Amino acid sequence: MPDEMSRPLIRGRGGGGGSRHLEASVSEPGAPVIGILGTGDFSRSLARRLVASGYQVVVGSRIPKRSVALFPEEAEVTSQMEAANQADLVFVAVFPEHYSTLVELKPALAGKTLVDVSNGLQINREGPSIAEQLADLFPESFVVKGFNTISAWALQVGPRDGSRQVFLCSDSQKAKSSVMQLCHRMGFIPIDMGLLSSAVEIENLPLYLFPSWRIPVLCTLSLFIFFYLYNFLHDVLQPFVTAGKSSFYKMPIETVNVTLPSVALVMLALVYLPGLCAAFLQLWWGTKYKRFPNWLDQWLTRRKQFGLCSFLCAVLHAIYSLCLPMRKSAHYKLIDVVFKQVKDGKEVSWDDDAVWRMELYLSAGIMALGLLSLLAVTSLPSVANTINWREFSFIQSTLGYCALSMATVHTLLFGWDRAFDPARYHFYLPPTFVLVLILPLMVLLGRLALFVPCVASRLRQIRRGWEKSRHIRFILPDDDCRNGLEDVSNVVASQQIIWKLFRRI
């Protein structure tokens, strides 16, 4: 177990064990007194972090003698009323259902800053927020919502572990500034979310369960179920129905191994399809200022998740493929082939086409997996923050299309000439790879269409602000037309109009 976890949450007290006043030597001179109402795990971790940051800490408890041994000896544990009187800024670290028990502290908390660190039990979409309810209970205090996204563990070990961002909102700018200063001193990064009405959004943040992953995961599962059932029908059920041959042993490994690359390739194509749709829409509209449909917006913002799901399926496919020779059925098949050749007196023949096909097929697959690995690594925030936008765009776009191309070639080599063999069309259904190739080939052809010089030039103009509905239009600056402006016949070429257009741009 790591050293940080093996140490107790807080240091034990000295021999007295009772409530005692703060030692001036521990905290920095002039530091405000920070009060904490509540004695739970979060309160103990918060007290430890505040003491380590040089603050005077006073903890208010309903039963001080029972809680005094749980806190650092530099912190004073006393009654809630005394803590409210001593503190300049108070953290309310009790459950929202117990806020009503603090009403008697209203005179002592008047004019002071209250930091609400609580979270709800479920996502609140209508309001009011917990912080707004606290503000209604203490109208003479200044309520700040914050620290609800920071765990007790992150407070205990410090900002080097866990999230460093602390989202804050309040109707009082002065109170919010004081809490932001406290965040900086504790080593966290405060994020100003505006007025207290934003507390609903902040309180919902810890309750979301992978909101941006929901659609990509559902899409991955749906594709997996579809292709698995298709492969089962095509490769397992059809031989059993037509020839009475039992191939159900293929279901755990072979059928899954054929399904995973199908899902991976389609998901990778879905990463780049929305970008093509956006480009063609901009070409059709002749402007970049018209908003995309909501479904396309959502799709564009989830491309990273689609790509990572594709990478997961590709890695699983590689692992499954490596395990294929380990199966007992593979051993039996090999022995059966050798036995039949010996029995018939035939020598093992060298099939040049099959050898070349397998060599190229494996090489393309390895290259595709390598490029996908690079895309997955650079999508990590810690890696993406170390490269500039041009480098990131080159990896995710140029190398991404290379990965899609190599994966498509890998699938084409797998199919080889099987697409033209009528015996492969079981139940009159095409082989799986024929279905899988449709979307990737459409994406690659769409990308090639954008490489046509006239199309690429017009798209660059649009993305630099050119609009076909305007009288003066932008052209690329490498054309010699007054720094990117071209005249149209129905424009009065006055200095005033040109100046207005420059300002509009």
Side-chain angles (χ1 to χ4, degrees), residues 352-478:
D352 202 52
D353 288 344
V355 170
W356 271 102
R357 168 180 163 270
M358 182 57 65
E359 297 294 321
L360 295 173
Y361 162 72
L362 290 176
S363 179
I366 294 171
M367 289 295 295
L369 182 59
L371 291 171
L372 275 177
S373 302
L374 180 61
L375 296 177
V377 171
T378 53
S379 68
L380 297 174
S382 58
V383 178
N385 291 336
T386 62
I387 57 180
N388 60 36
W389 171 249
R390 185 176 182 183
E391 294 166 342
F392 182 81
S393 177
F394 172 79
I395 294 173
Q396 295 294 329
S397 180
T398 306
L399 295 186
Y401 273 103
C402 290
L404 180 62
S405 301
M406 294 305 299
T408 304
V409 171
H410 176 68
T411 307
L412 287 170
L413 291 170
F414 172 80
W416 204 249
D417 58 353
R418 300 177 189 177
F420 309 104
D421 185 3
R424 298 286 180 176
Y425 287 73
H426 300 165
F427 287 144
Y428 302 101
L429 297 175
T432 307
F433 69 88
V434 175
L435 296 180
V436 172
L437 285 170
I438 295 174
L439 191 60
L441 290 176
M442 289 176 57
V443 172
L444 292 176
L445 290 174
R447 182 59 181 168
L448 288 176
L450 294 180
F451 277 130
V452 176
C454 59
V455 177
S457 176
R458 179 50 52 90
L459 185 60
R460 286 197 300 268
Q461 289 177 342
I462 291 173
R463 289 178 174 175
R464 291 177 62 86
W466 182 93
E467 293 183 82
K468 69 178 181 181
S469 60
R470 297 292 182 89
H471 295 303
I472 291 184
R473 305 169 182 173
F474 275 105
I475 60 174
L476 293 180
D478 53 348

Side-chain angles (χ1 to χ4, degrees), residues 7-14 17 20 23 26-27 44-45 47-53 67-75 77 156:
R7 291 203 298 266
L9 182 66
I10 39 79
R11 291 184 294 172
R13 286 181 171 267
R20 49 188 189 79
E23 298 178 5
V26 174
S27 58
R44 299 198 295 271
S45 299
R48 177 177 177 175
R49 182 52 46 194
L50 288 169
V51 168
S53 301
S67 306
V68 67
L70 301 175
F71 285 83
E73 57 185 19
E74 295 84 2
V77 182
Q156 177 184 347

Side-chain angles (χ1 to χ4, degrees), residues 15-38:
S19 173
R20 49 188 189 79
H21 292 283
L22 300 165
E23 298 178 5
S25 59
V26 174
S27 58
E28 296 182 5
V33 178
I34 307 299
I36 303 175
L37 299 180

Side-chain angles (χ1 to χ4, degrees), residues 256-269:
V256 173
N257 192 42
V258 176
T259 302
L260 286 172
S262 304
V263 178
L265 184 54
V266 173
M267 290 293 291
L268 185 59

Side-chain angles (χ1 to χ4, degrees), residues 108-299:
L109 295 175
K112 297 183 178 180
T113 299
L114 305 182
V115 182
D116 176 37
V117 301
S118 62
N119 283 314
L121 298 176
Q122 57 186 3
I123 295 177
N124 181 5
R125 301 191 182 278
E126 298 180 357
S129 65
I130 298 173
E132 290 172 316
Q133 296 176 31
L134 182 65
D136 292 337
L137 286 176
F138 298 90
E140 298 180 1
S141 302
F142 306 106
V143 176
V144 178
K145 184 69 185 186
F147 285 89
N148 63 305
T149 58
I150 302 296
S151 65
W153 168 248
L155 286 171
Q156 177 184 347
V157 301
R160 66 180 179 276
D161 189 81
S163 176
R164 298 185 60 186
Q165 293 183 338
V166 177
F167 299 94
L168 303 173
C169 68
S170 176
D171 291 334
S172 171
Q173 186 61 39
K174 182 178 179 181
K176 185 164 52 178
S177 298
S178 64
V179 179
M180 294 177 71
Q181 182 179 0
L182 181 142
C183 288
H184 283 298
R185 191 162 167 179
M186 293 172 68
F188 293 98
I189 301 174
I191 305 296
D192 191 348
M193 299 291 287
L195 300 177
L196 196 61
S197 56
S198 302
V200 174
E201 181 182 352
I202 297 177
E203 291 171 1
N204 287 337
L205 287 177
L207 302 177
Y208 289 125
L209 182 63
F210 303 115
S212 60
W213 285 87
R214 190 171 300 143
I215 294 177
V217 170
L218 288 176
C219 186
T220 303
L221 292 176
S222 301
L223 286 172
F224 183 87
I225 293 172
F226 169 76
F227 283 116
Y228 186 87
L229 293 177
Y230 190 90
N231 290 322
F232 172 78
L233 179 66
H234 196 271
D235 300 330
V236 178
L237 192 59
Q238 191 271 347
F240 180 77
V241 172
T242 58
K245 181 181 178 181
S246 178
S247 300
F248 292 96
Y249 68 90
K250 295 182 178 180
M251 293 175 61
I253 300 293
E254 282 195 38
T255 306
V256 173
N257 192 42
V258 176
T259 302
L260 286 172
S262 304
V263 178
L265 184 54
V266 173
M267 290 293 291
L268 185 59
L270 291 175
V271 173
Y272 296 99
L273 183 58
L276 293 178
C277 294
F280 283 114
L281 280 176
Q282 288 179 339
L283 288 170
W284 177 262
W285 293 333
T287 178
K288 71 172 184 178
Y289 298 109
K290 189 172 182 180
R291 188 175 180 85
F292 294 131
N294 186 56
W295 60 269
L296 185 55
D297 268 335
Q298 296 292 324
W299 195 354

